[in-house]
């Protein structure tokens, strides 16, 4: 890419200003700020920032330029490239923060369910044991299909494929298993 001599003069001027900022030259920083602030604002607004957010990002970018100017290497990039890269990264950081909302500790969805009272927990434990005893009384092929369907939450068609059985056989065995469970659990009450 051919540069016009005046373009190279401007690049050299901005690089020199940034190198002076690295030596804590306040006048060079003011000149750099006045040159880049409007350009950065336009760039950030094209990236979707509103005017207020763009101005905040510009302040942050220019503070970074002041603090990190000594890390600028004119053999690797121009002052413009270096400063615009900082601005781009700050805009991306801001977008990430906006997309990750703060967690509200009072949100009802984050409040754990209250623990069951001891008598309820004991009742649930007893019912669970009764159910497992009843399942152990089933023929193994019915117990296996019941476990897959209700404990592993697999679809009947997936069970049929996995066990290499016709879908109708899976459904029949599950119906039989449930009928036997109802009968056994009903007799225990």
């Amino acid at each position: 890419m051919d540069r016009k001599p005046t373009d190279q003069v401007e690049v050299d001027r901005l690089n020199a200003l940034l190198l002076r900022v690295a030596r804590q030259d306040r006048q060079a920083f003011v000149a750099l700020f006045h040159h880049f602030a409007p350009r950065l604002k336009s760039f950030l607004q094209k990236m979707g920032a509103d005017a207020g957010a763009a101005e905040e990002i510009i302040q942050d970018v220019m503070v970074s330029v002041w603090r990190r100017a000594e890390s600028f290497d004119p053999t690797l990039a121009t002052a413009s490239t270096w400063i615009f890269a900082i601005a781009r990264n700050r805009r991306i950081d801001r977008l990430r923060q906006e997309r990750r909302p703060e967690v509200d500790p009072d949100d009802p969805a984050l409040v754990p369910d209250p623990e069951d009272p001891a008598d309820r927990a004991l009742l649930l434990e007893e019912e669970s044991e009764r159910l497992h005893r009843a399942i152990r009384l089933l023929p193994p092929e019915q117990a296996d299909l019941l476990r897959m369907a209700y404990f592993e939450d697999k679809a009947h068609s997936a069970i049929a494929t996995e066990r290499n059985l016709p879908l109708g056989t899976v459904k029949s065995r599950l119906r039989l298993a449930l009928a036997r469970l109802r009968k056994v659990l009903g007799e225990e009450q």
Side-chain angles (χ1 to χ4, degrees):
M1 180 166 107
D2 292 325
R3 290 184 186 242
K4 297 177 186 174
T6 54
D7 287 346
Q8 189 58 49
V9 169
E10 181 67 3
V11 167
D12 292 342
R13 182 182 79 79
L14 294 172
N15 286 352
L17 278 175
L18 189 51
L19 292 171
R20 285 177 42 204
V21 170
R23 296 186 305 268
Q24 303 295 299
D25 182 331
R26 292 179 187 271
Q27 288 180 330
F29 179 74
V30 169
L32 210 59
F33 187 93
H34 287 299
H35 176 82
F36 281 105
R39 289 165 178 82
L40 288 173
K41 186 172 184 178
S42 175
F43 172 72
L44 292 166
Q45 287 180 315
K46 286 178 184 172
M47 288 184 70
D50 61 40
E55 289 174 12
E56 287 178 22
I57 295 170
I58 291 167
Q59 294 298 320
D60 186 40
V61 167
M62 294 312 290
V63 167
S64 291
V65 167
W66 176 256
R67 290 182 180 158
R68 296 179 36 216
E70 71 279 352
S71 68
F72 169 68
D73 183 351
T75 62
L76 298 176
T78 65
S80 293
T81 301
W82 191 73
I83 292 171
F84 276 90
I86 295 171
R88 177 188 163 277
N89 292 339
R90 289 300 191 285
R91 175 64 182 146
I92 290 169
D93 291 345
R94 176 73 64 104
L95 285 172
R96 287 181 181 144
Q97 288 173 348
E98 290 171 2
R99 290 187 181 136
R100 201 174 312 141
E102 295 295 319
V103 175
D104 179 8
D106 297 326
D107 185 345
L110 300 177
V111 176
D113 292 333
E115 288 189 30
D116 288 332
D119 59 337
R120 173 93 174 116
L122 183 60
L123 181 64
L124 289 173
E125 183 66 32
E126 288 173 359
E127 288 177 0
S128 175
E129 182 53 39
R130 281 182 47 222
L131 178 61
H132 283 85
R133 262 194 323 268
I135 292 173
R136 282 192 296 270
L137 295 174
L138 292 174
E141 66 275 357
Q142 290 178 6
D144 180 50
L145 297 181
L146 192 73
R147 179 187 47 79
M148 293 175 76
Y150 294 99
F151 293 97
E152 295 176 13
D153 200 29
K154 292 185 178 179
H156 294 176
S157 58
I159 295 169
T161 302
E162 192 172 324
R163 290 296 185 245
N164 198 23
L165 294 170
L167 182 58
T169 301
V170 170
K171 290 182 178 189
S172 295
R173 287 183 183 172
L174 284 171
R175 259 192 313 276
L176 287 171
L178 290 173
R180 286 184 180 178
L181 282 180
R182 281 188 204 102
K183 182 178 179 190
V184 170
L185 291 173
E187 289 174 358
E188 286 185 9
Q189 286 183 347

